[in-house]
Amino acid sequence: MVSKALLRLVSAVNRRRMKLLLGIALLAYVLISVYSFLLNRSIQENGELKIESKIEEVSLFSIFVSILSVFTQKYPPVKFLSEKDRKRILITGGAGFVGSHLTDKLMMDGHEVTVVDNFFTGRKRNVEHWIGHENFELINHDVVEPLYIEVDQIYHLASPASPPNYMYNPIKTLKTNTIGTLNMLGLAKRVGARLLLASTSEVYGDPEVHPQSEDYWGHVNPIGPRACYDEGKRVAETMCYAYMKQEGVEVRVARIFNTFGPRMHMNDGRVVSNFILQALQGEPLTVGSLTRLPFFSSDLVNGLVALMNSNVSSPVNLGNPEEHTILEFAQLIKNLVGSGSEIQFLSEAQDDPQKRKPDIKKAKLMLGWEPVVPLEEGLNKAIHYFRKELEYQANNQYIPKPKPARIKKGRTRHN
């Protein structure tokens, strides 16, 4: 009873405060309008001054609108945490597909979150609903440059993750995964923070062992078109354990398998995004003979948070152990969209893994984690998001095309 009464009192105080702020803002606007009117009357014979006063009036009105939007903006519900439970958390790549969902969870859990992103693949739209909140900060920064900030935990997600993006500039991909990781480990060492590295199933390469457990060393082509990402992540893992052994930095390593969900780039070249986009636009669905096991973004976020707050310092697979062929995915997405698209078969890209299946016994046993979102439910959410994106981009005269993860043999890129 006491807690309910206290909540009613707090909400009443908040309502009174909001009314007071709105009243002050409206009064300021009235005073500005009166001032502008009097100024116009006094300088009517001078055309230039009149134009300047109009510009001033517009700028003052813009300031008023900005102030009003800050006071009236609504945020998703945020849990209250006491000072001892609330953590200062840094997320590199926090405006990207996975990073933005992780930002949502940590913000709603009541933590103070700083997002760092250079917006190479991340988008401000993914986190704009938090801008202005007292627990949130967004920094436009490239992790290849050092960052000086006080934090308790670091989720290091910064890196292009889809083949077309990381192949676009392989040297930049390597720098992000090596120098960027080195900078984040240096920050963790200086401030005593725990660092979680978002590694990848690509460290297993084109595996010869199925399913892949964390003990498998992998089968990677070190000079192939995917090597900038595969080897970059392998070096990043090596750096993490070097810092742990030599400097005592607490590290966590998540080896992430195929993930999908809202906020994916529509033309990022991955299986799910390609198929949904092709089906929605009535284009042929281009498939190969591979197998993939994507899982929903919310499952991944829960796994990352569980790993960060666990005592498991060795690598952990986070993925979906249910194996599906690419053809099965294409048919399922086609049916969910209700598309009449044909299915076409293409040859595979160089070094694209033929088969991949995670062994998640370790995650189940030590984290109590496994994917829980049914495949069809996750796909329906992704399809709904992509439909909205297509409508938005059609209104802005831009229609994305699926981007296959391919590089022509014999063609080199000059940097």
Side-chain angles (χ1 to χ4, degrees):
M1 292 295 292
V2 174
S3 62
K4 287 183 179 178
L6 187 60
L7 282 172
R8 283 197 297 271
L9 177 62
V10 169
S11 63
V13 169
N14 285 336
R15 283 197 298 272
R16 290 194 193 98
R17 184 182 298 172
M18 183 61 71
K19 288 177 181 177
L20 177 62
L21 291 171
L22 285 172
I24 292 171
L26 287 170
L27 179 61
Y29 177 62
V30 170
L31 291 174
I32 290 167
S33 300
V34 171
Y35 168 75
S36 300
F37 174 75
L38 293 175
L39 190 63
N40 282 339
R41 287 286 301 274
S42 65
I43 57 174
Q44 286 220 326
E45 287 118 12
N46 192 325
E48 286 184 12
L49 287 176
K50 186 175 181 181
I51 291 169
E52 288 176 6
S53 70
K54 286 289 184 184
I55 294 170
E56 184 182 357
E57 183 179 352
V58 170
S59 64
L60 289 171
F61 178 73
S62 301
I63 294 169
F64 165 74
V65 170
S66 301
I67 294 170
L68 194 61
S69 65
V70 169
F71 288 135
T72 58
Q73 184 171 354
K74 292 183 180 179
Y75 301 102
V78 174
K79 180 182 176 183
F80 174 77
L81 287 181
S82 63
E83 192 70 28
K84 65 181 181 65
D85 296 323
R86 187 167 64 248
K87 292 183 175 66
R88 299 165 300 174
I89 299 174
L90 169 64
I91 306 176
T92 68
F97 159 46
V98 174
S100 62
H101 288 292
L102 179 61
T103 298
D104 288 347
K105 176 169 176 57
L106 295 173
M107 282 292 296
M108 289 190 283
D109 284 348
H111 299 291
E112 296 176 13
V113 177
T114 299
V115 165
V116 165
D117 208 298
N118 68 349
F119 301 107
F120 174 60
T121 57
R123 294 184 293 181
K124 195 176 289 186
R125 284 176 56 202
N126 291 341
V127 292
E128 66 182 357
H129 51 283
W130 292 114
I131 293 175
H133 194 284
E134 61 182 358
N135 288 352
F136 179 78
E137 185 174 2
L138 177 63
I139 302 174
N140 188 337
H141 180 83
D142 193 326
V143 293
V144 171
E145 303 298 329
L147 180 68
Y148 301 96
I149 187 174
E150 293 294 323
V151 291
D152 304 308
Q153 292 181 346
I154 301 169
Y155 288 85
H156 182 36
L157 277 63
S159 173
S162 70
N165 287 328
Y166 63 66
M167 290 179 187
Y168 173 75
N169 191 339
I171 293 176
K172 178 63 177 173
T173 300
L174 278 166
K175 284 182 176 180
T176 301
N177 282 301
T178 53
I179 301 172
T181 301
L182 201 63
N183 284 334
M184 290 304 106
L185 285 164
L187 173 62
K189 175 190 170 185
R190 285 194 299 274
V191 301
R194 177 180 292 180
L195 180 140
L196 182 146
L197 171 69
S199 188
T200 172
S201 59
E202 297 289 345
V203 299
Y204 300 125
D206 190 1
E208 298 173 317
V209 174
H210 305 283
Q212 296 87 50
S213 70
E214 290 86 354
D215 297 330
Y216 179 53
W217 289 1
H219 177 232
V220 178
N221 178 0
I223 58 172
R226 305 167 73 97
C228 59
Y229 185 65
D230 302 2
E231 299 290 15
K233 289 294 187 182
R234 286 163 72 96
V235 171
E237 288 193 14
T238 303
M239 287 178 174
C240 285
Y241 291 108
Y243 264 79
M244 183 180 77
K245 291 170 186 174
Q246 183 173 321
E247 305 293 346
V249 174
E250 290 188 50
V251 299
R252 304 288 182 264
V253 174
R255 289 178 178 166
I256 301 168
F257 285 68
N258 291 65
T259 312
F260 72 96
R263 301 179 190 162
M264 289 183 76
H265 273 289
M266 299 183 70
N267 57 347
D268 72 355
R270 290 188 249 200
V271 171
V272 174
S273 56
N274 268 7
F275 286 169
I276 293 176
L277 185 56
Q278 288 167 339
L280 287 172
Q281 294 181 333
E283 298 178 355
L285 275 62
T286 51
V287 306
S289 58
L290 312 179
T291 63
R292 287 293 183 269
L293 315 101
F295 67 117
F296 197 60
S297 50
S298 62
D299 283 331
L300 172 58
V301 165
N302 291 334
L304 292 174
V305 173
L307 177 59
M308 173 64 91
N309 297 308
S310 73
N311 295 318
V312 183
S313 59
S314 54
V316 177
N317 287 338
L318 297 178
N320 178 10
E322 294 180 8
E323 199 166 14
H324 298 275
T325 65
I326 298 295
L327 179 58
E328 289 172 344
F329 270 116
Q331 290 170 334
L332 177 58
I333 290 172
K334 178 181 172 181
N335 293 336
L336 291 175
V337 171
S339 171
S341 298
E342 297 178 353
I343 294 178
Q344 293 182 355
F345 292 87
L346 296 178
S347 59
E348 308 307 336
Q350 184 182 345
D351 294 337
D352 203 3
Q354 297 296 305
K355 190 175 182 181
R356 190 172 281 158
K357 180 178 180 179
D359 182 338
I360 62 168
K361 292 192 191 79
K362 188 173 182 180
K364 283 182 176 179
L365 179 66
M366 307 190 80
L367 304 180
W369 177 90
E370 62 180 319
V372 295
V373 177
L375 180 60
E376 285 196 23
E377 180 184 328
L379 286 174
N380 278 322
K381 290 180 179 179
I383 290 167
H384 175 70
Y385 172 78
F386 276 34
R387 272 203 175 102
K388 288 172 63 179
E389 282 290 286
L390 276 175
E391 290 172 7
Y392 173 82
Q393 291 174 352
N395 293 334
N396 288 274
Q397 304 302 312
Y398 168 69
I399 303 294
K401 296 293 181 185
K403 190 182 292 183
R406 299 175 182 282
I407 285 186
K408 292 182 179 178
K409 292 183 181 178
R411 183 179 177 181
T412 57
R413 175 182 171 82
H414 299 283
N415 291 279

